[in-house]
């Protein structure tokens, strides 16, 4: 697939780097709810205008109102995050191959046609960046200052990774499975982006090599023609433009596993700012979260009957309960959950509230089927990962 306006990425990148925003971008900005949170809206290929964090590598956030429009995040609104600046601007799917090698009995080179001949599975799953909501960390954490829109929910179609591994035959004693994509670093010193999963995780029922997203080919920026989907786990493992699957007989010690994307192995994965010397582990499953989707922060509300709508999700046990509070979390009221699209999907909810004029702090709290419940006090870690505390919204009723 050719990217429409093939050189747009590079051109937009160069223009933005030079400080000259495309004209369309100047018309509209978004204010994320933290210091230095003013961002332009910029349309990249196959994307509607999204909130620009960085142009090269592209990091684009989904405007939050998109999550109110439907349970699935449309492909053209789906957030984008890449680490390395050399991203193919088009990929010829007919020539694309996934090399399966390492500690296997038979090395494979799989074409898209090969994948099409294997049993297909479909799964609704939330893709959330580890650093989603990092901009809300206090004190601030180092990294891209995302609002809450570095996430999305899609229906993914593909083949089970396990079926691919079984075809190759994983050797006894294998420890991890490593994934690499077509993107490369600009500078020779920058480590290539590779991620690994333990063999038992990689062989899970729901881990798929996906060639469709919401019933369509993946947008190039979301990994066309094929990417890994690890439902319930943070998106750092969801390697895009997947080109190599390597079975390792040891634990992966590449930069992106050993140094980056690690969380404190402490209660709640939280530490006191400035702490050192604590053990860390690779980030893994997502924590339970919920958001209201139909009240932008600070927006006026009408007196009387109002509907509050939102979404909740967790790391794969599914949502058991969602509660709303109009008094900042002193009293809570359970609301109705809408249709269940599966335990990895966004779960929508809706509640009615009759309110008198005044100012309110609306809060939302979800409980997952595994018993985890959102807490009022945010966790903290130096990379700004895993935000999952109760979100609150200031509402004035006039
Ligand atoms: N090939 C490749 N895959 C990648 C990345 C990357 O830099 N290169 N980034 C990962 C991270 S950290 C995130 S958050 C997700 C973002 O997925 P999206 O751009 O489809 O939203 O892609 C993951 N897969
Ligand atoms: Mo990420």
């Amino acid at each position: 697939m050719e990217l429409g306006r093939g050189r747009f990425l590079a051109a937009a990148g160069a223009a933005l780097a030079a400080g000259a925003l495309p004209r369309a971008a100047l018309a509209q900005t978004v204010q994320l709810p933290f210091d230095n949170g003013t961002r332009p809206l910029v349309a990249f290929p196959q994307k509607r205008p999204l909130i620009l964090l960085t142009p090269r590598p592209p990091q684009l956030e989904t405007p939050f109102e998109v999550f109110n429009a439907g349970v699935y995040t449309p492909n053209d609104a789906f957030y984008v995050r890449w680490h390395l600046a050399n991203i193919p601007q088009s990929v010829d799917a007919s020539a694309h191959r996934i090399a399966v090698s390492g500690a296997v009995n038979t090395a494979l080179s799989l074409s898209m046609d090969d994948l099409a001949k294997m049993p297909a599975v479909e799964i609704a799953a939330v893709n959330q960046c580890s650093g989603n909501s990092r901009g809300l960390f206090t004190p601030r954490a180092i990294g891209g200052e995302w609002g809450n829109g570095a996430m999305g929910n899609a229906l993914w179609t593909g083949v089970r990774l396990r079926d691919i591994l079984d075809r190759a035959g994983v050797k006894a004693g294998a420890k991890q499975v490593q994934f690499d994509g077509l993107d490369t670093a600009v500078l020779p010193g920058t480590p290539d982006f590779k991620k690994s999963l333990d063999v038992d995780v990689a062989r899970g029922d729901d881990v798929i090599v996906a060639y469709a997203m919401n019933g369509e080919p993946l947008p190039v920026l979301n990994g066309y023609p094929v990417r890994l989907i690890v439902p319930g786990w943070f998106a750092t493992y969801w390697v895009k433009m997947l080109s190599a699957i390597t079975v390792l007989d040891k634990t992966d010690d590449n930069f992106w596993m050993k140094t980056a994307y690690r969380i404190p192995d402490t209660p709640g994965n939280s530490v006191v700012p400035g702490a050192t010397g604590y053990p860390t582990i690779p980030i893994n499953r997502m924590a339970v979260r919920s958001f209201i989707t139909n009240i932008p922060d600070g927006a006026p509300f009408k007196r009387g009957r109002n509907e509050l709508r939102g979404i909740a999700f967790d790391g794969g046990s599914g949502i058991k309960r969602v509660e709303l509070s109009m008094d900042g979390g002193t009293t809570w009221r359970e609301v109705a959950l809408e249709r269940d699209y599966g335990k990895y999907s966004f779960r929508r909810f809706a509640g009615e509230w009759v309110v008198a004029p005044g100012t309110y702090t609306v809060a939302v709290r979800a409980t997952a089927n595994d018993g985890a419940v959102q807490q009022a006090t945010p966790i903290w870690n130096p990379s700004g990962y895993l935000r999952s505390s109760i979100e609150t919204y200031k509402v004035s009723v006039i």
Side-chain angles (χ1 to χ4, degrees):
M1 171 180 285
E2 265 296 316
L3 270 185
R5 291 163 289 152
R7 276 183 292 278
F8 182 93
L9 262 185
L16 290 165
L21 292 172
R23 206 170 296 153
L26 292 176
Q28 255 187 314
T29 59
V30 169
Q31 183 62 49
L32 298 174
F34 41 78
D35 287 350
N36 304 316
T38 308
R39 307 256 189 280
L41 284 165
V42 179
F44 276 64
Q46 301 177 295
K47 295 286 174 183
R48 69 177 81 173
L50 298 177
I51 302 168
L52 181 75
L53 181 58
T54 61
R56 196 162 188 265
Q59 296 193 84
L60 311 170
E61 172 166 347
T62 302
F64 209 77
E65 62 269 17
V66 168
F67 302 116
N68 196 52
V71 73
Y72 293 125
T73 312
N75 291 2
D76 73 337
F78 213 94
Y79 87 100
V80 171
R81 198 268 188 263
W82 294 86
H83 293 80
L84 310 175
N86 273 342
I87 305 159
Q89 302 197 14
S90 68
V91 178
D92 178 357
S94 64
H96 186 73
R97 297 289 182 274
I98 302 173
V100 185
S101 66
V104 295
N105 297 327
T106 315
L108 308 172
S109 171
L110 297 173
S111 67
M112 297 303 292
D113 280 348
D114 293 332
L115 297 186
K117 285 180 202 135
M118 297 174 69
V121 288
E122 214 167 54
I123 190 159
V126 174
N127 162 329
Q128 180 183 214
C129 179
S130 314
N132 189 27
S133 319
R134 182 182 287 120
L136 300 171
F137 272 66
T138 340
R140 295 194 88 163
I142 292 167
E145 303 295 344
W146 298 105
N148 291 326
M151 63 174 185
N153 184 43
L155 185 63
W156 309 94
T157 314
V159 307
R160 284 205 172 88
L161 175 62
R162 185 172 64 213
D163 291 349
I164 293 175
L165 294 174
D166 283 349
R167 222 198 234 202
V170 173
K171 287 194 171 153
K175 289 248 170 359
Q176 289 199 313
V177 184
Q178 185 190 62
F179 308 92
D180 191 9
L182 294 178
D183 48 327
T184 57
V186 175
L187 300 174
T190 309
D192 191 15
F193 186 78
K194 296 179 188 176
K195 295 298 295 188
S196 293
L197 296 171
D198 287 351
V199 169
D200 61 327
V201 176
R203 293 182 59 83
D205 289 344
D206 301 321
V207 179
I208 64 175
V209 171
Y211 45 73
M213 173 176 177
N214 294 325
E216 313 236 321
L218 312 178
V220 171
L221 289 170
N222 298 108
Y224 181 85
V226 64
R227 78 178 302 175
L228 191 70
I229 299 302
V230 191
W233 284 50
F234 278 104
T236 182
Y237 296 97
W238 300 34
V239 173
K240 301 190 277 190
M241 294 185 181
L242 181 65
S243 56
I245 298 174
T246 310
V247 179
L248 307 177
D249 56 14
K250 59 176 183 55
T251 300
D252 192 350
D253 62 359
N254 102 73
F255 172 82
W256 299 102
M257 291 299 298
K258 194 183 165 188
T259 307
Y261 285 103
R262 296 185 72 93
I263 54 172
D265 190 13
T266 56
N269 306 113
S270 195
V271 292
V272 173
T276 54
Y278 51 84
T280 66
I281 49 170
I283 196 166
N284 48 84
R285 278 190 188 281
M286 299 187 290
V288 61
R289 300 196 76 177
S290 61
F291 302 91
I292 293 172
T293 52
N294 70 337
I295 40 170
D297 212 33
F301 224 53
K302 65 181 191 333
R303 72 184 70 177
R305 195 174 300 278
N306 285 276
E307 189 187 44
L308 290 173
R309 303 190 56 81
I311 50 173
F313 63 97
D314 81 326
S317 78
I319 295 302
K320 181 179 188 179
R321 185 184 315 125
V322 173
E323 297 156 291
L324 290 174
S325 170
M326 291 295 275
D327 54 17
T330 307
T331 60
W332 293 95
R333 186 173 120 173
E334 193 167 346
V335 293
L337 300 180
E338 298 191 342
R339 185 176 149 188
D340 187 357
Y341 288 81
K343 60 189 181 178
Y344 302 110
S345 172
F346 281 159
R347 186 79 188 260
R348 302 181 92 195
F349 61 83
E352 262 196 356
W353 224 281
V354 180
V355 279
T359 53
Y360 298 85
T361 300
V362 178
V364 58
R365 174 172 80 180
T367 303
N369 285 324
D370 65 7
V373 53
Q374 289 183 268
Q375 302 296 312
T377 308
I379 66 157
W380 196 91
N381 58 71
S383 300
Y385 294 148
L386 266 167
R387 181 178 167 93
S388 49
S389 52
I390 292 170
E391 303 294 345
T392 59
Y393 306 80
K394 294 254 185 290
V395 171
S396 53
V397 180
I398 46 174

